[in-house]
Amino acid sequence: MLKKLLPATLLTLTTALTLGAIPAAHASQAAPAAAPAAPPSDGRVSTAFTLPGEKVYPEGIATDPRDHTVYVGSYADGAVYRARPGQRGAEVFLPAGADGRHTANGLRVDARGRLWVTDSTAGVAVYDTATGRRLAHFEVAGSGALFVNDLTITPDGTAYLTDSVRAVIYRVTPDLLAAGSGPLLPAYDLSGHLTPSPAGSFSLNGIVSDPAGRFLLAVDMTAGDLHRIDLRTGAISRVALRGGDLTHADGLDLAPDGTLRVAHNTTNTLTRWHLSPDGTRARLTRTITDPSLQIPTTLSHTPGRTLVVRSQFDKGGPMGPGTPTAFTIASVRGF
């Protein structure tokens, strides 16, 4: 069992999203006979595919850029699911608890087809998508509270990961990846740059990098700010947001044309922004709020569709009591 479990008192988001320190019971792997209807939608949101299990509580999503296979991770038990193009139901790719994983939060597939999976209680592991074999793993050094949340991968193959409690960004270089293991160490400390927030609240969450590998963007979900990290100079600045803010923002997706898509969890909202070429400014261009998003946590955009994770954290999950419907991934039209 991993030693670094996050104390429950530090797993409270002042934005009303509360994550329990102890993962939920392992999900059943039996697929439901049928997917019960989600809450009413305005017509733009439909179901892309269903996840097997009664207590999945999905959190992260990633699309393989080579063949558009989609991977989804479970916050409840660390299982990772796979849906091939055209499938209406996902299958288990990495079983719950494999390699000691307690959670599967941030997911990314790199250019060489390796799947990166963060475990909020420990660090990140890298898997071969062809075989499911673990290729590398990295754990946070030292003791104390932590919550490794999301990650992005730059064109040179370097991975950057947010910690929602420590307000730092970790880094795994290609050389470290080739070594196969090692400590997960901070590359950037944003604690002195963040807007002050109540003790115990989460800060950094979603993170993306620009296609040229010049900068990172990391969201502070409690303050609603977006921070820019210059990868050449190390300078940290706040992105000027026009037309709105990023309160409750969870997952981010940055397209090559500068379109930034954001999932805001507890408000069942998606926003779309136009990012300036240098990443210093962003203008709100679209907002969708729909109860059928069912607490969206992360999203993955490919030409023709945007896939959104319906976490249902508020239905018997880490946000409180209740009974979930079947766990599904949404497809959002025109976003």
Side-chain angles (χ1 to χ4, degrees):
M1 182 175 182
L2 295 173
K3 300 185 292 294
K4 308 181 187 72
L5 290 178
L6 184 61
T9 54
L10 290 177
L11 283 173
T12 300
L13 301 181
T14 55
T15 55
L17 175 58
T18 302
L19 302 177
I22 305 299
H26 286 186
S28 165
Q29 302 307 323
S41 167
D42 64 6
R44 288 172 291 194
V45 181
S46 60
T47 295
F49 57 86
T50 302
L51 302 170
E54 298 176 354
K55 294 183 178 181
V56 177
Y57 298 106
E59 210 281 343
I61 189 169
T63 301
D64 189 329
R66 304 168 306 161
D67 62 6
H68 293 170
T69 296
V70 179
Y71 297 87
V72 179
S74 167
Y75 173 79
D77 58 21
V80 176
Y81 303 88
R82 175 175 61 191
R84 301 185 188 277
Q87 288 185 330
R88 297 293 293 173
E91 60 187 359
V92 175
F93 176 63
L94 301 175
D99 302 314
R101 274 192 325 277
H102 287 283
T103 70
N105 289 6
L107 274 67
R108 287 289 186 275
V109 180
D110 65 23
R112 294 181 58 182
R114 296 170 298 206
L115 175 65
W116 296 66
V117 182
T118 67
D119 179 341
S120 61
T121 70
V124 64
V126 186
Y127 294 88
D128 183 337
T129 53
T131 65
R133 181 172 65 92
R134 190 176 73 172
L135 304 173
H137 65 101
F138 305 90
E139 294 196 2
V140 176
S143 59
L146 71 151
F147 196 98
V148 183
N149 202 325
D150 207 351
L151 77 155
T152 188
I153 302 170
T154 54
D156 68 354
T158 301
Y160 294 90
L161 307 94
T162 57
D163 190 315
S164 299
V165 169
R166 298 186 178 187
V168 300
I169 295 176
Y170 304 109
R171 175 171 55 201
V172 178
T173 65
D175 286 345
L176 290 173
L177 178 59
S181 64
L184 193 57
L185 300 173
Y188 302 100
D189 186 344
L190 276 72
S191 57
H193 299 266
L194 303 181
T195 300
S197 58
S201 59
F202 274 20
S203 57
L204 302 181
N205 197 330
I207 184 170
V208 291
S209 51
D210 82 302
R214 298 168 299 162
F215 57 83
L216 308 174
L217 299 175
V219 68
D220 178 348
M221 68 180 303
T222 298
D225 297 326
L226 187 64
H227 296 271
R228 181 187 187 277
I229 299 91
D230 191 301
L231 292 175
R232 183 179 63 86
T233 66
I236 300 170
S237 58
R238 194 170 299 168
V239 176
L241 302 177
R242 177 184 170 190
D245 61 40
L246 295 177
T247 305
H248 306 281
D250 199 325
L252 308 179
D253 182 282
L254 180 60
D257 66 358
T259 300
L260 178 67
R261 293 174 173 86
V262 183
H264 302 247
N265 47 46
T266 58
T267 57
N268 288 320
T269 296
L270 306 176
T271 56
R272 191 175 69 197
W273 303 73
H274 177 71
L275 186 71
S276 64
D278 62 0
T280 61
R281 305 178 308 281
R283 175 174 53 88
L284 180 65
T285 61
R286 183 119 189 237
T287 301
I288 295 175
T289 298
D290 192 317
S292 72
L293 291 171
Q294 298 177 298
I295 314 295
T297 50
T298 53
L299 69 170
S300 177
H301 179 80
T302 57
R305 69 173 181 175
T306 302
L307 297 177
V308 182
V309 172
R310 290 164 156 163
S311 74
Q312 295 192 74
F313 279 177
D314 61 336
K315 298 293 190 298
M319 281 177 59
T323 303
T325 62
F327 289 95
T328 62
I329 300 301
S331 178
V332 182
R333 178 171 52 85
F335 185 70

